[in-house]
Amino acid sequence: MKKGLLIIIMMLLLGGCWDEAQYKDVTIVPVMGIEKDGEEIKTIFSFPTFENGMINYSTSEGKGFSTWNARYDANQRTMEALNLAHLEVLLVSDNLAKKDIYEPLDMFFRTPKNRITSYIAIIEGDMEQYFNLPEDVNTDVADFYPELLHTAVLYTFVAENTLGETAKILREESMDLSLPYMTLNEKGIPTVEGIALFSNYKFTGKTLRKEESIAANIMKDNLGKHTYLTYKWRQKESPITIEIISVHRKIKITHDKIDLNYVIDIGVDEFPKNGLYKNDMRRETENFLSDEMKRDFNKVIQKTQEAKSDIFGFGRRVHAFHSELWERGDWQETYATFPIEVDVKVRMKRTNILD
């Protein structure tokens, strides 16, 4: 009895977590940036500091021959160790992504403490500018970037790209990566401009604009909570804004082409000309939208083929079911010239609360 009681007491005293880290010994990093600086890697870390009861954000920079080495260098310039367990956003410069994006990301997948559900985005230009937000932005980087990217996902500007999802795609030969692409507007405020297209491990330097990015996500049936498209119907001298309700797609792959067939259910959110309660007008509108969306989809296909970037994952089906086609050579090279035909049918499900 006494022996059992002693064991219980010892278990309570010795209980703990093997990877416990005291917050007094570390500083939490919510946003991190990586860029190429000559032959070295440069890292920037944003972390909170406390002064006079107020929370402010400071930055620490480091350089090295690898991401880990640059982080170690930055650690020597802070009072506590930089901890990435709560990292929310990782920004990668376009000049670094054009080399080989996996190499600078490798360290994030080696340590169990690292968070791989963080957002990742490609930025254009100097990284420091993205950590020094202008006064017009009434918040700090720790809040700004997670909210900016969350909104972009919510409205289907980009897919929900995390470090974990990025790692999965980078390990595949049959699908290429696409990541949010950010630039600075005329006021120096970071904005999501669309998506960066990758071929194998490298950023191609080619991007899809925001409208094209939305179309690409519709094609992948990867919708956010809200998906809107606006067209100018010149014949009717009227704008028309639609919301995508659902996407039904069929993919047929043969040895000589890919057929993509889409049936897309939509609601009409704006159409000043009205008259959609009339069958003729309804059919005419559906035909107009079908043609416009088909044109948009073909533009996206053309751009991704020019970039040799199969962001749709057609290669997965080819690899699984069409070995002869897969064995023609590098899939990205095959995809670049492979015939792809698109057909779109729009069905109007919601028009007007008065109809």
Side-chain angles (χ1 to χ4, degrees), residues 6-206:
L6 181 62
I7 291 174
I8 293 173
I9 293 173
M10 290 178 65
M11 289 175 64
L12 292 173
L13 292 174
L14 295 175
C17 184
W18 67 271
D19 63 346
E20 181 184 56
Q22 297 290 335
Y23 279 108
K24 64 184 179 65
D25 299 324
V26 300
T27 185
I28 299 301
V29 175
V31 181
M32 175 183 174
I34 315 174
E35 67 179 341
K36 191 78 172 171
D37 187 11
E39 295 300 316
E40 293 186 303
I41 296 291
K42 178 181 176 181
T43 55
I44 303 179
F45 302 87
S46 176
F47 55 90
T49 57
F50 302 90
E51 296 179 11
N52 301 321
M54 300 289 291
I55 300 177
N56 296 305
Y57 280 82
S58 299
T59 59
S60 179
E61 299 181 8
K63 290 184 180 181
F65 55 84
S66 70
T67 307
W68 192 96
N69 189 240
R71 174 190 175 186
Y72 184 76
D73 182 51
N75 257 332
Q76 299 179 53
R77 295 174 172 81
T78 58
M79 295 176 63
E80 297 93 14
L82 297 167
N83 188 293
L84 302 180
H86 298 278
L87 183 69
E88 293 193 64
V89 175
L90 175 66
L91 303 178
V92 181
S93 69
D94 54 357
N95 65 358
L96 180 60
K98 288 177 181 177
K99 303 294 183 182
D100 180 347
I101 196 171
Y102 183 82
E103 185 174 324
L105 299 183
D106 180 77
M107 79 160 205
F108 293 97
F109 313 127
R110 300 289 176 180
T111 306
K113 294 180 183 179
N114 288 340
R115 181 182 181 183
I116 60 172
T117 56
S118 314
Y119 287 122
I120 177 172
I122 305 299
I123 63 104
E124 177 188 73
D126 181 31
M127 184 67 72
E128 287 189 20
Q129 291 181 281
Y130 289 82
F131 281 79
N132 296 301
L133 299 177
E135 293 182 359
D136 290 349
V137 180
N138 297 316
T139 187
D140 50 65
V141 294
D143 292 325
F144 178 77
Y145 287 114
E147 290 300 322
L148 179 67
L149 290 168
H150 176 69
T151 300
V153 171
L154 199 65
Y155 284 87
T156 320
F157 299 157
V158 299
E160 191 167 8
N161 298 100
T162 64
L163 275 170
E165 289 298 317
T166 298
K168 289 179 185 177
I169 296 175
L170 286 175
R171 293 170 68 90
E172 291 193 42
E173 296 179 312
S174 53
M175 184 174 181
D176 288 301
L177 182 66
S178 62
L179 292 175
Y181 188 70
M182 298 172 62
T183 63
L184 300 174
N185 66 14
E186 63 279 359
K187 293 183 178 180
I189 300 174
T191 60
V192 177
E193 281 298 308
I195 58 176
L197 300 176
F198 284 73
S199 185
N200 290 317
Y201 295 106
K202 299 178 181 180
F203 172 41
T204 63
K206 298 182 183 296

Side-chain angles (χ1 to χ4, degrees), residues 202-236:
K202 299 178 181 180
F203 172 41
T204 63
K206 298 182 183 296
T207 63
L208 296 181
R209 294 180 294 105
K210 190 177 294 182
E211 296 79 9
E212 295 167 335
S213 176
I214 294 173
N217 283 318
I218 294 171
M219 293 176 71
K220 292 191 286 185
D221 193 14
N222 192 359
L223 305 181
K225 187 174 182 180
H226 309 287
T227 308
Y228 299 103
L229 293 171
T230 299
Y231 296 103
K232 188 172 183 179
W233 197 348
R234 298 186 186 280
Q235 185 180 351
K236 301 295 182 183

